[in-house]
């Protein structure tokens, strides 16, 4: 250690003499010597920042091979997969789950539109009804009825047309909501890919930091062996290298996380470790330099999906008011109906004496039997009407059995049938061949009215229905109209509120782009300054005039400047994409080709 100090002192003296010699020569030569010095680097014009890019191709200790770095950051992934920005955006349109969910929501509204429009189509009704009727005490009348009917709506108070128009506007609103989901997903995918590129660049910067720390450690170890450094300097450099490696590992984790986030948004397996195909981080040119804030405001009024969405909701709410008022109007419809009925009546034997009506037992005419007694009507003679009997023969031939108002006997009026209260005449005989009655009622009471007699029937009907129903004396429809008006006003105010939000977002995004571009310029200048500071710190340490601490601080400042520059470029790209989304002109071509 004793021999190292004289050597260090000698080096300091030699460097001082050289510095004094150069200074003296400069003062003597004056302006002529100043010309021989290296010229200052030119100021970077703002136009040059438009092509700001980071590939770490310049500067001290450039990392040898960045492609090999990607092989060490899989961290549990099965394999690496390179991907470009256009590939990401195309995969989002095909496989993104929020887009698929939003599309199904829109298709649901389209199905509801079909259901609402079907109100203009006639309604078909078919009905089969089987009934069993019992007329006390013992009469049964089972029946089967089939009805086929078509109803044609003519006027329903505007309920159908207003409902269909309201659903039409809701369908268009959900379609624009679907488009808004696409725009938001494209922006999210672009940001996720920009983060992936950023983290890969930061990983390169951390790898560059490791190489710088290793070079600093090697320099301090060489100085220590030459007697120009202490053990503290060497230990300080080793600590710096260890911290740099730890930061590099943390950056590996962040890079892998960004790859998983990108895989999630494109619905890809998490086992894939995505690697951007772009070799460098550079500023994207998504916006035209000729457009101002007024141009973007005008574009947003035409293209922004949310404005169209809320406008459609407003129109739908206005139609709901008219639909609620439909209950105040009458309803008119036409109909055609075809009915088929099969009915039978089962009348049991009258075994009791009901109000003086005789209990008759009637048989076939050929058998000539059928005694009937009627104690209540004083008809005790039995009778067996046959084919040769006349009206004055058989039952009810007594002269005292007359109508209540007097006149001819019942037998003369009712042709030998025992009938009271206008009932249908019983059949006393029938043909053995056809079963048809052989007697008739001279007053026509044998014929039953329509719908009462048993048998089969078919009929076709056409008509018009006109009805007017006022629920709860109109109070319920009135409440529905008032509530629908409030919702309509709310929808209008929400549309105005959305307009203000869109204008605010467009202004914020536009000014965000301007601010991000200024930050890129400052970060680029800081990166150049940090690179030069690190170079001078190394020269000072090598010459013995600097310290290891200065070199470490210069190294950290340079790495921070590079990281800030990378983040500034990424932030500028994201700000441009955000403006495209807020204006409503974001698309795959706009994000890939740019200049909008």
């Amino acid at each position: 250690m004793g021999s190292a100090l004289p050597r260090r002192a000698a080096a300091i003296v030699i460097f001082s003499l050289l510095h004094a010699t150069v200074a003296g020569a400069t003062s003597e030569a004056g302006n002529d010597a100043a010309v021989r010095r290296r010229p200052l680097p030119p100021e970077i014009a703002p136009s040059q920042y438009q092509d700001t890019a980071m590939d770490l191709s310049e500067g001290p200790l450039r990392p040898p091979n960045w492609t090999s770095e990607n092989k060490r950051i899989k961290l549990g992934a099965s394999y690496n997969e390179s991907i470009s920005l256009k590939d990401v955006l195309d995969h989002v349109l095909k496989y993104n789950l929020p887009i698929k969910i939003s599309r199904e929501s829109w298709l649901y509204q389209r199905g509801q539109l079909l259901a609402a429009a079907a109100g203009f189509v006639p309604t078909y009704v078919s009905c089969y009804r089987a009934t069993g009727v019992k007329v006390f005490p013992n009469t049964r009348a089972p029946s089967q009825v089939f009805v086929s009917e078509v109803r044609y709506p003519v006027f329903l108070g505007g309920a159908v047309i207003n409902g269909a128009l309201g659903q039409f506007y809701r369908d268009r609103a959900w379609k624009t909501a679907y488009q808004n989901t696409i725009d938001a997903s494209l922006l999210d995918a672009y940001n996720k890919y920009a983060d992936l590129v950023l983290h890969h660049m930061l990983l390169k910067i951390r790898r560059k930091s490791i190489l710088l720390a290793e070079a600093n450690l090697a320099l301090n170890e060489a100085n220590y062996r030459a007697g120009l450094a202490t053990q503290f300097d060497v230990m300080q450099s080793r600590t710096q290298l260890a911290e740099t490696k730890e930061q590099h590992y943390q950056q590996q984790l962040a890079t892998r996380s960004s790859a998983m986030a990108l895989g999630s948004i494109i619905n890809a397996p998490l086992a894939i470790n995505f690697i951007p195909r772009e070799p460098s981080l550079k500023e994207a040119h998504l916006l035209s330099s000729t457009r101002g804030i007024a141009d973007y405001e005008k574009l947003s009024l035409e293209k922004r999906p949310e404005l169209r969405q809320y406008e459609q909701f407003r129109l739908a709410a206005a139609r709901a008011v008219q639909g609620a008022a439909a209950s105040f109007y009458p309803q008119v419809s036409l109909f055609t109906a075809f009915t088929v009925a099969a009915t039978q009546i089962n009348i049991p034997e009258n075994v009791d004496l009901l109000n003086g009506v005789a209990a008759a037992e009637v048989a076939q005419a050929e058998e000539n039997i059928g005694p009937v007694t009627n104690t209540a009507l004083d008809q005790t003679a039995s009778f067996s009407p046959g084919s040769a009997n006349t009206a004055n023969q058989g039952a009810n031939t007594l002269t005292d059995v007359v109508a209540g108002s007097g006149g001819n006997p019942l037998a003369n009026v009712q042709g030998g049938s025992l009938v009271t209260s206008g009932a249908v005449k019983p059949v006393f005989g029938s043909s053995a061949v056809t079963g048809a009655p052989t007697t008739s009622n001279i007053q026509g009471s044998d014929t039953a009215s329509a719908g009462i007699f048993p048998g089969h029937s078919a009929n076709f009907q056409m008509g018009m229905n006109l009805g007017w129903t006022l629920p709860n004396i109109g109070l319920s429809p009135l409440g529905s109209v008032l509530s629908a008006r409030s919702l309509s006003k709310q929808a209008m105010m929400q549309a105005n509120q959305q307009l203000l939000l869109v204008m605010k977002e467009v202004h914020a995004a536009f000014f965000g782009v301007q601010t991000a571009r200024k930050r890129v310029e400052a970060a680029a200048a800081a990166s150049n300054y940090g690179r030069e500071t690190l170079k001078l710190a190394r020269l000072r340490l090598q010459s013995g005039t600097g310290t290891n601490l200065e070199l470490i601080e210069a190294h950290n400042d340079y790495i921070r400047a590079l990281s800030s520059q990378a983040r500034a470029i990424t932030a500028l790209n994201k700000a441009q994409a955000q403006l495209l989304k807020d204006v409503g002109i974001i698309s795959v071509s706009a994000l890939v080709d740019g200049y909008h």
Side-chain angles (χ1 to χ4, degrees):
M1 190 67 186
S3 60
L5 290 176
R7 287 197 297 269
R8 182 176 181 181
I12 293 175
V13 171
I14 294 173
F15 181 80
S16 300
L17 293 174
L18 291 174
H19 181 72
T21 303
V22 173
T26 302
S27 60
E28 292 176 0
N31 295 333
D32 295 334
V35 176
R36 292 194 296 269
R37 296 181 59 187
R38 294 179 57 186
L40 290 173
E43 291 288 339
I44 302 178
S47 60
Q48 293 178 291
Y49 287 113
Q50 302 297 324
D51 298 322
T52 301
M54 292 188 65
D55 56 7
L56 300 182
S57 59
E58 297 180 358
L61 300 177
R62 176 191 176 191
N65 186 8
W66 292 123
T67 58
S68 62
E69 191 67 24
N70 295 326
K71 300 179 181 179
R72 297 193 291 271
I73 61 173
K74 292 194 294 185
L75 297 179
S78 300
Y79 58 94
N80 292 331
E81 180 72 25
S82 63
I83 192 170
S84 65
L85 175 60
K86 189 176 187 307
D87 294 336
V88 170
L89 299 178
D90 290 339
H91 279 72
V92 164
L93 295 179
K94 291 181 180 179
Y95 307 113
N96 182 255
L97 291 180
I99 292 179
K100 291 179 176 291
I101 294 172
S102 180
R103 185 174 185 274
E104 294 303 322
S105 299
W106 168 45
L107 293 180
Y108 169 79
Q109 297 296 329
R110 177 139 294 189
Q112 293 296 309
L113 175 59
L114 176 61
F120 296 100
V121 181
T123 301
Y124 173 74
V125 179
S126 62
C127 175
Y128 171 78
R129 183 172 65 249
T131 61
V133 180
K134 181 178 181 180
V135 181
F136 290 98
N138 294 316
T139 302
R140 290 178 173 84
S143 64
Q144 301 179 38
V145 179
F146 174 75
V147 179
S148 179
E149 182 179 354
V150 179
R151 302 170 185 171
Y152 308 88
V154 178
F155 178 74
L156 301 179
V160 175
I161 187 171
N162 288 299
L165 288 176
Q167 186 57 41
F168 171 73
Y169 294 132
R170 280 189 289 272
D171 171 72
R172 296 182 62 181
W174 281 94
K175 183 179 180 180
T176 55
Y178 170 57
Q179 181 61 45
N180 185 38
T181 304
I182 293 177
D183 294 351
S185 298
L186 288 176
L187 176 63
D188 192 15
Y190 184 86
N191 291 338
K192 291 293 191 301
Y193 186 79
D195 290 337
L196 181 64
V197 176
L198 171 63
H199 284 295
H200 272 270
M201 179 54 64
L202 294 178
L203 188 64
K204 294 178 181 181
I205 294 174
R206 289 302 173 186
R207 180 57 183 168
K208 185 182 185 74
S209 178
I210 290 178
L211 296 179
L212 292 175
E214 290 175 348
N216 293 341
L217 177 60
L219 177 60
N220 279 282
E221 288 177 347
N223 288 340
Y224 178 77
R225 287 190 296 268
L228 301 177
T230 63
Q231 290 183 355
F232 177 78
D233 295 332
V234 175
M235 295 176 66
Q236 194 177 41
S237 297
R238 289 177 179 175
T239 303
Q240 174 70 13
L241 177 60
E243 293 177 353
T244 303
K245 288 183 178 180
E246 190 272 337
Q247 294 171 353
H248 178 265
Y249 181 75
Q250 293 293 333
Q251 186 56 47
Q252 282 184 322
L253 294 178
T255 304
R256 174 66 182 132
S257 298
S258 64
M260 290 191 295
L262 180 62
S264 176
I265 195 174
I266 64 176
N267 198 19
L270 298 181
I272 304 176
N273 182 50
F274 289 104
I275 298 174
R277 292 181 185 174
E278 285 76 5
S280 61
L281 175 62
K282 60 182 179 180
E283 178 186 347
H285 301 281
L286 306 181
L287 304 176
S288 174
S289 59
T290 60
R291 291 187 182 274
I293 183 62
D295 298 324
Y296 289 118
E297 284 182 351
K298 183 178 179 181
L299 278 175
S300 64
L301 294 176
E302 300 174 358
K303 304 293 186 180
R304 186 69 181 266
E306 289 90 334
L307 295 181
R308 290 175 288 166
Q309 177 184 358
Y310 279 88
E311 176 64 17
Q312 299 302 319
F313 280 142
R314 184 190 67 82
L315 295 175
R319 286 294 176 178
V321 177
Q322 299 175 343
S327 299
F328 289 107
Y329 298 93
Q331 297 183 357
V332 180
S333 63
L334 304 177
F335 72 92
T336 58
F338 177 74
T339 304
V340 177
T343 309
Q344 58 182 347
I345 300 177
N346 298 325
I347 303 176
E349 177 184 1
N350 189 4
V351 297
D352 300 322
L353 300 179
L354 301 177
N355 298 326
V357 180
E361 295 182 2
V362 183
Q364 297 289 342
E366 289 78 3
E367 296 178 2
N368 199 22
I369 60 174
V372 176
T373 62
N374 191 344
T375 305
L377 295 178
D378 196 18
Q379 296 177 358
T380 59
S382 62
F383 64 97
S384 300
S387 59
N389 294 132
T390 63
N392 294 324
Q393 295 176 345
N396 301 330
T397 59
L398 298 180
T399 58
D400 56 348
V401 182
V402 296
S405 57
N408 296 326
L410 293 178
N412 294 334
V413 177
Q414 297 180 339
S417 60
L418 188 61
V419 178
T420 61
S421 303
V424 180
K425 186 198 77 168
V427 177
F428 294 100
S430 61
S431 171
V433 179
T434 64
T438 58
T439 60
S440 62
N441 193 321
I442 62 174
Q443 300 296 331
S445 60
D446 276 337
T447 304
S449 60
I452 297 178
F453 65 90
H456 295 272
S457 65
N459 62 77
F460 178 79
Q461 297 178 348
M462 296 179 61
M464 178 187 71
N465 290 326
L466 173 61
W468 186 21
T469 302
L470 202 59
N472 305 115
I473 320 179
L475 294 179
S476 295
L478 179 61
S480 300
V481 170
L482 293 178
S483 61
R485 282 184 178 179
S486 297
L487 291 179
S488 178
K489 293 180 181 179
Q490 180 184 3
M492 181 179 63
M493 290 184 286
Q494 287 178 339
N496 294 333
Q497 183 185 32
Q498 188 63 32
L499 176 61
L500 296 177
L501 291 176
V502 167
M503 292 296 101
K504 179 181 177 182
E505 290 174 355
V506 170
H507 280 77
F510 182 80
F511 296 137
V513 171
Q514 308 304 317
T515 304
R517 181 165 286 113
K518 294 297 181 182
R519 189 177 298 115
V520 168
E521 297 175 4
S527 177
N528 293 334
Y529 170 74
R531 183 185 299 110
E532 191 68 20
T533 302
L534 179 61
K535 184 188 301 183
L536 293 178
R538 287 182 58 83
L539 292 177
R540 285 170 58 83
L541 183 61
Q542 289 175 350
S543 63
T545 58
T547 63
N548 186 54
L549 182 59
E550 292 178 358
L551 180 60
I552 291 177
E553 290 179 351
H555 163 248
N556 292 336
D557 292 341
Y558 177 53
I559 296 302
R560 282 193 293 267
L562 287 178
S563 301
S564 298
Q565 184 182 11
R567 289 188 172 91
I569 296 175
T570 303
L572 176 58
N573 294 342
K574 288 183 176 181
Q576 294 183 79
Q578 183 67 49
L579 180 57
L580 291 179
K581 193 269 178 185
D582 291 339
V583 174
I585 56 176
I586 189 172
S587 62
V588 175
S589 60
L591 294 174
V592 175
D593 300 333
Y595 293 101
H596 286 79

